[in-house]
Amino acid sequence: MDFTIRAASLDDCKDISRMILKLAEHDNVSDQIKITQRGIVTSLQYKYNDLDSYCGLFGAGTNHTTFTVDLEQDGFSKNPFFHGIIAEVPEHFKSRDGHTKVGYSLYFYTYSSWKGRAVYMEDLYVMPEFRGKGIGKALMAKVSQLGLAAGCTQLNFTVLDWNKSSLDFYRKQGCWDVTSDLGYHCMRCEGDALEHLGGHLHFTDQSQ
């Protein structure tokens, strides 16, 4: 199958939002999604007809506006927090739902105090009907290529422990499991805990 891998643009945000939701559904974490294209009401109107339907995705009691993430601002402003690439097929290969943008990856650059520059692959997703055609590997290869061009020495990402097919795929690409081999665990602080932690500085902060 013919397909192209290219840099994501502002016009791709709607499709990236669509595929982020599909990835979350696949990973059984839809209730964790706080992402939108460009604001909580307008971004997902192609899927949800009203705000109540949209908010139902997150569960009752969530302050949705507070946690809304703006893909357009965060990925395509002067100082982006992430970068993206898109997998696109010709019109005659479009999906059953009429989509030609059938996969994506989001990535950003980090730093290892041991190894130096690194690239982190936040998402890698291909629509189910287009899997097994080399698109996922091509997306991952492109992120790797961009990382190497930026002087990175490693590509990092996370995988759910039950996702055997993905684990097998990544191992075939030469990747290894940091958790099982070195014992490192991915930790997170968010929400009230982050607010509490960040609001308790008892010394003069000279980092600004």
Side-chain angles (χ1 to χ4, degrees), residues 13-207:
C13 285
K14 180 176 178 179
D15 284 285
I16 293 173
S17 295
R18 167 180 60 82
M19 290 187 281
I20 286 173
L21 281 174
K22 290 299 184 183
L23 175 59
E25 290 173 7
H26 174 267
D27 289 349
N28 299 319
V29 291
S30 293
D31 61 326
Q32 300 294 314
I33 298 298
K34 314 298 180 186
I35 200 80
T36 68
Q37 174 196 350
R38 192 180 53 239
I40 192 163
V41 178
T42 61
S43 65
L44 299 178
Q45 61 187 7
Y46 61 91
K47 182 172 181 179
Y48 299 100
N49 294 325
D50 54 65
L51 184 59
D52 289 338
S53 297
Y54 175 84
C55 292
L57 178 67
F58 304 122
T62 304
N63 185 337
H64 312 290
T65 304
T66 300
F67 294 105
T68 295
V69 181
D70 191 325
L71 278 177
E72 294 187 359
Q73 176 65 31
D74 291 344
F76 302 94
S77 59
K78 183 178 180 180
N79 297 301
F81 276 81
F82 70 87
H83 307 280
I85 54 176
I86 291 286
E88 191 165 18
V89 297
E91 184 69 22
H92 59 276
F93 283 138
K94 65 185 178 183
S95 71
R96 290 186 292 269
D97 295 331
H99 299 296
T100 58
K101 299 168 188 178
V102 301
Y104 80 99
S105 181
L106 301 184
Y107 66 95
F108 53 88
Y109 296 104
T110 63
Y111 196 82
S112 166
S113 59
W114 292 0
K115 300 290 182 69
R117 298 179 185 183
V119 59
Y120 189 90
M121 185 171 66
E122 176 68 17
D123 286 352
L124 177 65
Y125 176 79
V126 177
M127 293 174 61
E129 63 192 277
F130 292 93
R131 293 173 188 169
K133 304 180 186 302
I135 297 176
K137 184 174 181 178
L139 284 165
M140 188 175 182
K142 186 61 178 179
V143 174
S144 301
Q145 182 186 72
L146 292 165
L148 288 168
C152 298
T153 61
Q154 54 186 219
L155 168 67
N156 296 305
F157 53 93
T158 58
V159 190
L160 286 165
D161 55 5
W162 56 260
N163 196 341
K164 187 177 184 300
S165 61
S166 290
L167 286 166
D168 290 343
F169 167 76
Y170 291 128
R171 288 191 177 104
K172 287 179 181 178
Q173 315 315 315
C175 306
W176 54 283
D177 189 336
V178 175
T179 301
S180 64
D181 292 356
L182 295 182
Y184 284 96
H185 287 270
C186 179
M187 304 295 291
R188 178 177 299 164
C189 183
E190 63 181 356
D192 291 341
L194 181 61
E195 293 285 347
H196 181 79
L197 182 63
H200 284 73
L201 286 176
H202 299 294
F203 56 88
T204 301
D205 184 1
Q206 298 180 343
S207 64

